[in-house]
Amino acid sequence: MANQAFLQYISDQLLMLKQAGRYRQPRIIDSPTDRRVMIDEKSYLAFCSNNYLGLANGERLKAAAAAAIREYGWGSGASRLISGSLRPHQALEEALARFKAVQSSIVFPTGYMANLGVISAVAGRKDTVIIDRLCHASIVDGCRLSQARLQVYPHCELNVLEGILKRSQNYARRLIITDSIFSMDGDIAPLPGLVSLARQYGAILMLDEAHATGVLGEHGRGAVEHFKLKDEPDIVMGTLSKAVGSLGGFVAGNSELTDFLRQRARSFIYTTALPPAACAASIAGLKIITGEPQLRQQLRQNTDYLNAGLIKLGFDAVGSMPLGSATPIIPIMLGDEARVMQAAAYLFEHGILIPGIRPPTVPRGKCRLRISLMATHTQADLDCLLDILRGI
Ligand SMILES: Cc1ncc(COP(=O)(O)O)c(C=O)c1O
């Protein structure tokens, strides 16, 4: 017979979430993910995906995936080290190394799994991991899995980070980790300062370029390129699931590092490899990112246009960031949870899809609407959004 105490626990938890207004259910979309989506037979303007360059539903990614399906079938059938490494996996790792202008890369099934695998391979019980307060959940989970001592510094406060580094000399290894573009705030980590602190104190620096890949830098390589860093972080990871329009996580860097991760990263070793078609689509996405910088320019223009409009409307739109340094993630800070959920519902009623972000994703009192822009949004789309935002 089923464990009654366990069933009771589950139903109490669900009830508690419902009573607290924290019960969440996915909204089902009946169309490809694009600047407009269909929900319950109604069309919505969407400002909520990480498909920043609009590639996910593009003909070239679809054609690349379809061709790979015809040649290799759908599933990969096994983990990478058994028999799941098909030619498209190798081709993607080579394409990523070329894209990032480094020696080598290693691909994981998702960015989440890349973070889990890398952090737990690099840090252990005798080490400490020091992360920005606003690092993504996958970084936090990777740190927990590593069993290293987790220390957190306030968002982008390098003087506090330095204090922690000074007090942490007795750990075998010290690993500093930061997002390059923070996923809920849209600001950019102070990378030059982080690199110099890591060097000064002999720490390892790991950078998560999930939201910066394809978005920042002249060739879309990310924040390392954006800051024109000569001395690079020790570990750079990213995802293929956002601007690249596909699926997968990766680390790109020197070949000994990727070789080490192939031996030690459990989320690479003990899971089935990506479908080869996802690799083919990623290769097509990387090619577009490299060959069509105008997409990035358009995204930047859309970002500047919307920021200017939001400021005119009097929103606290860009938080601590000056206008002009913005990324396509634009939070509108509304503070209170009820206010944010009301605003999101109002937008939805008016044909706009923007999620309300609340705890546990962001701290209490820092609830926000998280707008994310695409290069393919038109000026009319942005004007429509601004017009409707006036109503909140
Ligand atoms: C900063 C950051 N790192 C990692 C991830 C995980 O990437 P993926 O969605 O490919 O698992 C995300 C995505 O949500 C992210 O925002």
Side-chain angles (χ1 to χ4, degrees), residues 317-344:
V318 284
S320 57
M321 283 194 305
L323 183 65
S325 69
T327 67
I329 302 171
I330 304 177
I332 295 187
M333 307 303 281
L334 294 179
D336 175 51
E337 189 165 340
R339 202 169 153 221
V340 161
M341 297 325 283
Q342 261 170 19

Side-chain angles (χ1 to χ4, degrees), residues 50 52 109-115 134-139 178-184 208-211 237-242 246-250 329 370:
N50 303 315
Y52 300 117
T110 65
Y112 183 93
M113 291 171 77
N115 275 336
L134 297 188
C135 273
H136 188 256
S138 56
I139 293 175
T178 181
D179 295 17
S180 56
I181 294 181
F182 288 89
S183 56
M184 292 298 140
D208 178 334
E209 295 262 46
H211 293 274
M237 69 77 66
T239 77
L240 300 157
S241 59
K242 303 188 193 299
S246 183
L247 180 69
F250 66 87
I329 302 171
R370 177 188 185 268

Side-chain angles (χ1 to χ4, degrees), residues 52 100 115 132 134-136 138-139 153 155-156 176-192 194-195 205-217 220-227 229 233 235-239 242 250 321 325-329:
Y52 300 117
K100 294 287 255 182
N115 275 336
D132 188 290
L134 297 188
C135 273
H136 188 256
S138 56
I139 293 175
Y153 60 92
H155 184 46
C156 293
I176 305 167
I177 313 179
T178 181
D179 295 17
S180 56
I181 294 181
F182 288 89
S183 56
M184 292 298 140
D185 287 53
D187 53 346
I188 304 173
L191 207 44
L194 282 161
V195 172
L205 179 62
M206 172 170 167
L207 184 65
D208 178 334
E209 295 262 46
H211 293 274
T213 304
V215 169
L216 290 185
R221 288 180 192 142
V224 172
E225 190 183 29
H226 170 81
F227 284 109
L229 290 182
I235 304 172
V236 178
M237 69 77 66
T239 77
K242 303 188 193 299
F250 66 87
M321 283 194 305
S325 69
T327 67
I329 302 171

Side-chain angles (χ1 to χ4, degrees), residues 157-205:
E157 287 195 21
L158 298 193
N159 54 341
V160 181
L161 170 61
E162 181 163 19
I164 295 175
L165 285 166
K166 278 185 185 153
R167 291 192 300 277
S168 305
Q169 312 271 7
N170 52 341
Y171 289 96
R173 269 195 297 271
R174 291 167 293 171
L175 174 62
I176 305 167
I177 313 179
T178 181
D179 295 17
S180 56
I181 294 181
F182 288 89
S183 56
M184 292 298 140
D185 287 53
D187 53 346
I188 304 173
L191 207 44
L194 282 161
V195 172
S196 70
L197 274 183
R199 296 294 171 258
Q200 188 181 341
Y201 289 92
I204 305 161
L205 179 62

